Amino acid sequence: MEKETATFNPPVFYGATGILLVLVITAAVWPDAVGAMFQGLQSSIVANGSWYYVLVVAFILISVLIFSVTRYGDIKLGPDHIEPDYSYTSWFAMMFSAGMGIGLMFFGVSEPVMHFLTPPTGEPGTVAAAREAMKLTFFHWGIHAWAMYAVVALILAYFGYRHDLPLTIRSALYPIFGERIYGPLGTAVDIFAILSTVTGVATSLGFGVLQINSGLAYLFDVPTNIGVQVVLIIATTILATISVVMGLDAGIKRLSEINIILAIILLTLVLSFGPTVLLLQVFVQNTGDYLSDLVSKTFNLYAYTPTDWLGGWTIFYWGWWLSWAPFVGLFIARISRGRTIREFVFGALLGPTLFTLLWMTVFGNSAIELILNQGATELGEMVDKDASVALFKFFEFLPGTQLLSFVAVIMVIVFFVTSADSGAMVVNMLSSNGRDDTPLWQRVFWTGSIGIIAAILLVAGGLPSLQTAAIASALPFSFALLFAIWGFWRALQADIVKRDALSVQTVVDSNIPWQERLNNLLQYPTESGVVAFQGSIAKSTLQAFARELSANGLEASVVTDDESHTVRLEVLHGEELDFVYVIRAHEMQLPDDAMVEHPNDASTYWRAEVHLSEGGQDYDVMGWNGEQIANDILEQYERHLNYLKTVR
């Protein structure tokens, strides 16, 4: 039977669209007033809530690390038998491109130089200021940012893939609110996530075309004005639409892989053209400094020496990463099915962080070296004047200026396309109950909406106000995220309890003659043989078991799915966890040392594997008689009841 195409959730779709329309019109018509209002709100948050942001971010980082290093780390984001959808390379590429790839292009040179010339404490323009500048840059772009993305992704992937909840933000609150997430509460949460994603991506797209325009002006003397920038937004939106239409694997995945290749090429060129040995030395030292100061900087509020620097930098970044967490977190969740929590956390934290630190060192320290020891003061002046041009000004001091600038422009364009299409995909999923197999018009609608909003606000001057609004939204989202982390922890505890209750390995009835057991071991059945077994012995045994349960007052049923080759017994337990016992036909690679000749010289054979609600159990019941299967069901059901008694 063909799977039905998903359509949008009307309350979420129309609600989000209506609010976005009002927001955009308001920000476009009264940009100054709206900007002043949101700036006042953000200033109030910084003045009165900096301590709260610092504690929240610290708690998130500690929680993520605990989830990974304890027993919880063994739990898979999906059924136990599932394998990851993507290779490490593709996974990392997509995660990095969506997370902060474009930020490195914009801030790789400018932020270290800014901290070097205007540090929060100490004398600017000194060796000590250079060292502190890299510490601060690492701090803002390191594991704290990725921990915020990771915790949202973990929660969504866990409930989405392991508990079959919709892959939307509302599912993170399921342990707290239960079925109420499907009502107005869940609708409001998903609408909020859509607003956060669209405004965040649109403002980034709007500001990002400034850097693309600067690069094109440098390379090809393209004029720098609003008209050109609107054309660039339209072009980026068209490319993003094409990518979204092609789908995740053919579009976003390939673009992300191209981006990583380009990033490595550009990084290698700058490292080779610059002071290579010095950069490698400072990278090692920067990393050591970052790790040694991690705790103190995490909790540093400059309480004894008050400064506006904290609100303009650290708190701004924490709010920015938190506001992007629904978007990036949902996207990372979408591509992380099949990984264990430990594998996910180490991959999401260490991989992107190390690459980011290396990037900031190569670009940032190279720029600081030019200013500090080679008298390139004009580079510092350009950073202060226009950060979007800083990267291209930096390339003027290196060999192969034109080549570097060309690669950088291509990277910026591709990074923005991947941000736009991944953002559109996330919004599409949020408005469609977590599914991305939606009609074409729906995917095009959201991609086009992001581009139109960016263009309108760029022309009207409303981008800064919308950006401030997006950052201010981090405050209410942080409250919801803390509840979600608590609920996630409770769910993981229940998962561990269940795992312990089911930890005893199933043992085949010892009364089975050894000759029969040996014969089963030496068989490599065909698909038709396993399907026939399912339709006869397996199905009749499950039906007999269901009838016996029904006779004892329980609601039990058996369902056969010819498409997926499964026969399924389900026992309902009301508010408690239902019992599921599935015999699934599973294709396996025939071992090289197979001791019997397989029919038709095939390279694969089939097993009748047992699956429970938490996934495959890695044993085969092909060839068992009805009594043996019934005994196995009984053992598994007994363990299930024991688990229910434990958690009551």
Side-chain angles (χ1 to χ4, degrees):
M1 185 176 67
E2 187 176 351
K3 188 177 180 181
E4 185 180 355
T5 303
T7 56
F8 61 84
N9 183 342
V12 175
F13 183 91
Y14 292 121
T17 303
I19 296 173
L20 275 172
L21 188 61
V22 172
L23 265 177
V24 172
I25 292 174
T26 305
V29 176
W30 301 285
D32 295 335
V34 174
M37 180 184 70
F38 284 120
Q39 187 58 55
L41 176 61
Q42 178 64 9
S43 299
S44 178
I45 293 173
V46 170
N48 301 301
S50 294
W51 62 271
Y52 170 76
Y53 270 47
V54 166
L55 286 179
V56 167
V57 172
F59 176 75
I60 289 172
L61 178 58
I62 293 170
S63 298
V64 170
L65 293 175
I66 289 174
F67 292 146
S68 65
V69 300
T70 58
R71 292 182 65 194
Y72 304 138
D74 297 326
I75 298 173
K76 272 197 174 185
L77 301 176
D80 290 338
H81 68 281
I82 205 72
E83 293 298 321
D85 292 337
Y86 299 99
S87 67
Y88 280 112
T89 303
S90 298
W91 181 54
F92 174 81
M94 289 189 285
M95 183 166 52
F96 186 79
S97 296
M100 59 181 59
I102 190 59
L104 298 186
M105 300 298 295
F106 197 91
F107 290 102
V109 170
S110 61
E111 181 166 341
V113 171
M114 288 179 186
H115 294 323
F116 171 65
L117 297 177
T118 55
T121 58
E123 186 179 351
T126 62
V127 173
R131 187 172 180 178
E132 184 66 18
M134 296 312 301
K135 287 184 186 180
L136 293 170
T137 303
F138 276 28
F139 178 59
H140 292 151
W141 291 83
I143 61 173
H144 291 81
W146 285 101
M148 289 182 248
Y149 294 161
V151 75
V152 176
L154 267 179
I155 295 170
L156 296 179
Y158 176 82
F159 288 113
Y161 295 130
R162 196 163 181 87
H163 292 273
D164 293 324
L165 293 175
L167 200 59
T168 62
I169 301 299
R170 71 173 70 196
S171 297
L173 301 178
Y174 183 82
I176 310 299
F177 299 104
E179 297 296 322
R180 282 178 290 175
I181 67 166
Y182 298 109
L185 174 66
T187 298
V189 169
D190 285 345
I191 288 175
F192 176 85
I194 289 176
L195 297 178
S196 177
T197 300
V198 172
T199 54
V201 175
T203 52
S204 294
L205 185 62
F207 287 124
V209 297
L210 301 176
Q211 191 174 35
I212 298 176
N213 198 173
S214 299
L216 294 175
Y218 181 84
L219 289 170
F220 308 111
D221 294 322
V222 175
T224 303
N225 55 52
I226 293 292
V228 173
Q229 290 157 14
V230 170
V231 171
L232 289 173
I233 289 178
I234 294 172
T236 302
T237 303
I238 292 173
L239 292 174
T241 302
I242 295 172
S243 176
V244 168
V245 170
M246 292 175 66
L248 180 60
D249 291 343
I252 299 175
K253 176 186 170 185
R254 290 181 181 176
L255 283 176
S256 299
E257 290 171 346
I258 292 171
N259 245 341
I260 284 295
I261 294 172
L262 290 173
I264 293 172
I265 291 173
L266 185 61
L267 184 70
T268 304
L269 289 173
V270 175
L271 180 63
S272 303
F273 294 158
T276 307
V277 175
L278 174 64
L279 292 175
L280 295 175
Q281 289 175 335
V282 294
F283 171 67
V284 175
Q285 185 166 334
N286 289 344
T287 304
D289 288 343
Y290 169 62
L291 294 175
S292 64
D293 287 0
L294 192 61
V295 175
S296 62
K297 285 198 178 308
T298 296
F299 295 96
N300 189 6
L301 284 163
Y302 298 92
Y304 293 100
T305 55
T307 173
D308 293 334
W309 183 92
L310 180 70
W313 284 101
T314 302
I315 303 303
F316 173 87
Y317 268 123
W318 290 177
W320 186 241
W321 300 141
L322 280 170
S323 69
W324 271 64
F327 152 48
V328 180
L330 180 54
F331 179 77
I332 295 175
R334 171 64 180 82
I335 62 175
S336 299
R337 186 176 71 131
R339 304 202 178 274
T340 65
I341 290 177
R342 182 174 298 109
E343 181 185 16
F344 172 86
V345 171
F346 286 158
L349 290 191
L350 297 184
T353 296
L354 284 174
F355 190 87
T356 300
L357 301 188
L358 180 60
W359 183 280
M360 289 299 188
T361 294
V362 171
F363 283 81
N365 275 110
S366 295
I368 291 174
E369 169 69 12
L370 289 170
I371 299 171
L372 181 63
N373 295 320
Q374 299 185 35
T377 55
E378 62 268 35
L379 177 58
E381 294 170 356
M382 180 57 69
V383 168
D384 184 61
K385 180 182 178 182
D386 187 356
S388 66
V389 187
L391 179 65
F392 303 102
K393 185 66 178 179
F394 165 70
F395 288 151
E396 291 182 4
F397 296 91
L398 299 176
T401 301
Q402 293 292 115
L403 173 63
L404 293 173
S405 298
F406 180 76
V407 175
V409 170
I410 299 299
M411 280 185 65
V412 172
I413 293 173
V414 180
F415 267 132
F416 271 105
V417 172
T418 53
S419 293
D421 59 11
S422 56
M425 188 193 80
V426 165
V427 173
N428 185 46
M429 291 175 63
L430 287 168
S431 63
S432 305
N433 296 312
R435 291 176 59 178
D436 58 1
D437 55 337
T438 56
L440 179 61
W441 72 264
Q442 195 171 318
R443 287 173 275 166
V444 173
F445 171 82
W446 286 117
T447 315
S449 296
I450 292 172
I452 291 170
I453 290 172
I456 291 174
L457 293 180
L458 179 66
V459 173
L463 282 173
S465 60
L466 205 61
Q467 182 186 46
T468 307
I471 296 171
S473 71
L475 181 63
F477 176 71
S478 68
F479 298 143
L481 185 57
L482 292 177
F483 277 108
I485 293 172
W486 177 50
F488 180 51
W489 175 73
R490 288 176 54 191
L492 290 178
Q493 283 186 308
D495 210 321
I496 290 294
V497 171
K498 184 176 183 180
R499 174 172 293 194
D500 290 341
L502 302 175
S503 61
V504 180
Q505 185 66 38
T506 297
V507 179
V508 181
D509 186 357
S510 60
N511 293 321
I512 302 174
W514 68 268
Q515 296 94 336
E516 184 178 338
R517 294 181 62 184
L518 177 61
N519 184 62
N520 288 338
L521 288 173
L522 298 178
Q523 295 301 310
Y524 295 98
T526 61
E527 180 182 8
S528 59
V530 174
V531 171
F533 169 77
Q534 286 179 307
S536 56
I537 296 174
K539 183 178 180 180
S540 61
T541 303
L542 266 62
Q543 288 175 333
F545 204 94
R547 286 194 297 272
E548 191 65 26
L549 289 168
S550 300
N552 284 274
L554 293 171
E555 187 175 349
S557 61
V558 176
V559 178
T560 301
D561 188 335
D562 295 333
E563 185 178 351
S564 61
H565 293 329
T566 61
V567 56
R568 174 188 181 99
L569 167 68
E570 185 168 339
V571 187
L572 303 183
H573 284 271
E575 297 295 323
E576 297 183 312
L577 185 67
D578 299 330
F579 173 72
V580 176
Y581 185 97
V582 182
I583 298 178
R584 181 188 300 271
H586 182 63
E587 189 176 18
M588 299 286 291
Q589 192 68 32
L590 194 69
D592 294 334
D593 59 347
M595 290 170 284
V596 296
E597 187 174 331
H598 194 265
N600 304 321
D601 295 324
S603 60
T604 61
Y605 72 103
W606 289 74
R607 288 158 49 104
E609 293 190 349
V610 173
H611 287 234
L612 305 178
S613 58
E614 57 274 8
Q617 301 303 296
D618 296 322
Y619 66 94
D620 181 20
V621 298
M622 180 64 188
W624 290 20
N625 60 39
E627 188 69 19
Q628 295 160 6
I629 295 175
N631 285 330
D632 187 61
I633 301 172
L634 186 61
E635 288 186 18
Q636 296 289 8
Y637 188 56
E638 187 177 9
R639 293 180 188 137
H640 182 81
L641 294 179
N642 182 56
Y643 163 71
L644 295 182
K645 292 175 184 176
T646 305
V647 297
R648 284 173 184 152

